[in-house]
C-alpha cells in the first residue's frame, strides 16, 4: 500500500525520494547508522559538519540531558574534508541517497576553500553551510547573527561552487527572516532551520557549569515550537525551499513542519533516542497520505490554514 503514495519533493535542482533527511552532527558520516536504518530509503543524508582540517572539538563533558531535550557542546569534532572524501565518501557513493556535506569554518576564506574542494567531488549532491560558527575576524561573533556578514559569506561560497547551496540558519537572532532574505539574495538555493538554541545548565552542588564549554546548543522536543514558528515565518519571507529542523521525533512532528511550509525536514536528536526514527517517519508520512486520501506529499507543503 505504501508505494501508492508519492513522497518526492524538490529542493531546488535536487529531487528527493522523500522529504526526510538526517540533521548534521546526529548521524555521523552515515555508515554508523547502517545497522539500524536502510540508508537507501532516506531522502538525503547530511553528514556531520566538516572543516578544512580535522578537529578534536571541545573537552568533556560535552553533552547534558535537559527537560525534553539535550545540550551539546561537541565543538564540531570531525575528521576534516580530506579524510572524509578519502575514507567515508566511497561508502556513501554506493548508496542511491543524495549526500549533503555540512561545512563550517572560522573565516570566510576557510568556507571558500571548502566549497571549492567539494565542487569537484562526485557523490556530494549539495553543500549545507553552517553559519552558526564564530567568525574569528569578528571577535568570535557567529556569522549567522548579522545579515550583512552572513550574506558576504554565502556570496563567497556561491562563487566557488556550482553545487546547490543550502544555508543552515541560526535561531540565536532577533529576526530570522532578515537573515534568510539576505542569504537568499546572496545566492542560497535553499535554507535549513533551525540550528541549536544556545543554553546552559548548572550543577548546583558543585556550583559549576555542567558543560566544560559552559554554554551549549539546545536540541530536541524542547525547541520544536520555536523551530516551527521560525520555519513558518521564513517560508513566507523567501521564495526558495525551506528545510525544517528542530525537535522532530515522529511523523506527526514532521507533518507540522511540512504544513507550516517546509519542503523537507531533518531529524536530529531523535536519532539518539531511536536510531530507526527516520525510517519510521517516512512510513508515517505515507500512512498519513493514505489515511487522508492524498496522492502526493506536495499537497501538504505549506497547506496551513490560518
Ligand atoms: C550532538 C549534535 C551535533 C550537531 N552537530 C552539528 C553540525 O556539525 N553542524 C550543524 O549544522 N548542526 C549540528 N547540529 C544541529 C542539528 O543538526 C540540528 O540543527 C539541531 O540539533 C536541531 O534539531 P533536533 O532538535 O532534531 O536535534 C548538531 C546537533 C547535535 C545535537
Amino acid at each position: 500500500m505504501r508505494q501508492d503514495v508519492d513522497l518526492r519533493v524538490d529542493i531546488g535542482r535536487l529531487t528527493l525520494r522523500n522529504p526526510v533527511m538526517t540533521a548534521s552532527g546526529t548521524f555521523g558520516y552515515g555508515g554508523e547508522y547502517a545497522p539500524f536504518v536502510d540508508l537507501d530509503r532516506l531522502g538525503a543524508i547530511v553528514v556531520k559538519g566538516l572543516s578544512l582540517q580535522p578537529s578534536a572539538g571541545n573537552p568533556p563533558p560535552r553533552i547534558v540531558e535537559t527537560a525534553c531535550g539535550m545540550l551539546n557542546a561537541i565543538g564540531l569534532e570531525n575528521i576534516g574534508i580530506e579524510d572524509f572524501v578519502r575514507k567515508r565518501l566511497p561508502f556513501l557513493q554506493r548508496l542511491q541517497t543524495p549526500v549533503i556535506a555540512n561545512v563550517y569554518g572560522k573565516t570566510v576564506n576557510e568556507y571558500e576553500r571548502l566549497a571549492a574542494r567539494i565542487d569537484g567531488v562526485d557523490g556530494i549532491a549539495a553543500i549545507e553551510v553552517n553559519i552558526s560558527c564564530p567568525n574569528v575576524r569578528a571577535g568570535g561573533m557567529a556569522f549567522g547573527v548579522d545579515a550583512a556578514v552572513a550574506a558576504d559569506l554565502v556570496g563567497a561560497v556561491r562563487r566557488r561552487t556550482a553545487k546547490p547551496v543550502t544555508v543552515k540558519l541560526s535561531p540565536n537572532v532577533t529576526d530570522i527572516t532578515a537573515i534568510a532574505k539576505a542569504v537568499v539574495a546572496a545566492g542560497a538555493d535553499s535554507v535549513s532551520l533551525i540550528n541549536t538554541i544556545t543554553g546552559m545548565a548548572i550543577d548546583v552542588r558543585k556550583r559549576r557549569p555542567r558543560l566544560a564549554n559552559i554554554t551549549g546548543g539546545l536540541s530536541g522536543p524542547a525547541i520544536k515550537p520555536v523551530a516551527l514558528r521560525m520555519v513558518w515565518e521564513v517560508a513566507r519571507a523567501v521564495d526558495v525551499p525551506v528545510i525544517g529542523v528542530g525537535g522532530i521525533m515522529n511523523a506527526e512532528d514532521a507533518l507540522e513542519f511540512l504544513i507550516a511550509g517546509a519542503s523537507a525536514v531533518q531529524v536530529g536528536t531523535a536519532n539518539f533516542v531511536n536510531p530507526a526514527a527516520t525510517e519510521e517517519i517516512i512510513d508515517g508520512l505515507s500512512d498519513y497520505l493514505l489515511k487522508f486520501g492524498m496522492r502526493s506529499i506536495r499537497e501538504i507543503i505549506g497547506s496551513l490554514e490560518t
Side-chain angles (χ1 to χ4, degrees), residues 11-14 100-101 103 115 119 125-131 153-168 183-184 186-192 240-241 243:
I11 306 297
R13 284 179 277 153
L14 212 59
I100 299 177
V103 299
D119 189 52
I127 301 176
E128 183 179 63
V129 184
N130 178 0
I131 60 171
L153 171 63
V154 173
V157 167
R158 174 78 286 164
R159 288 189 285 277
R160 294 298 185 285
T161 180
K163 295 203 192 258
V165 172
T166 294
V167 177
K168 174 104 172 255
V183 300
V184 169
D189 298 291
S190 58
V191 289
S192 47
V240 300
I243 301 163

Side-chain angles (χ1 to χ4, degrees), residues 233-274:
E233 286 178 345
V234 169
R236 297 188 327 158
V238 298
D239 55 7
V240 300
V242 173
I243 301 163
V245 47
I248 297 174
M249 306 301 281
N250 53 45
E252 188 159 336
D253 294 336
L255 283 159
E256 284 192 71
F257 280 87
L258 297 173
I259 292 167
S263 296
V265 294
Q266 295 180 354
V267 178
T269 301
N271 295 305
F272 299 135
V273 183
N274 171 13

Side-chain angles (χ1 to χ4, degrees), residues 135-222:
N135 176 355
V136 294
R137 300 264 151 79
M141 196 170 84
F143 290 94
V145 302
D146 182 284
V149 173
D152 193 44
L153 171 63
V154 173
V157 167
R158 174 78 286 164
R159 288 189 285 277
R160 294 298 185 285
T161 180
K163 295 203 192 258
V165 172
T166 294
V167 177
K168 174 104 172 255
L169 302 178
S170 168
N172 303 311
V173 296
T174 310
D175 177 8
I176 197 163
T177 64
I179 313 285
K181 285 182 197 159
V183 300
V184 169
D189 298 291
S190 58
V191 289
S192 47
L193 61 141
I194 59 174
N195 212 314
T196 54
I197 300 176
T198 307
M200 68 187 284
I202 293 172
D203 181 331
V204 295
R205 272 163 232 91
K206 298 182 187 150
R207 282 187 267 155
R208 294 185 62 82
R210 288 192 186 273
L211 292 168
N213 190 56
I214 305 177
T215 62
L218 183 64
S219 64

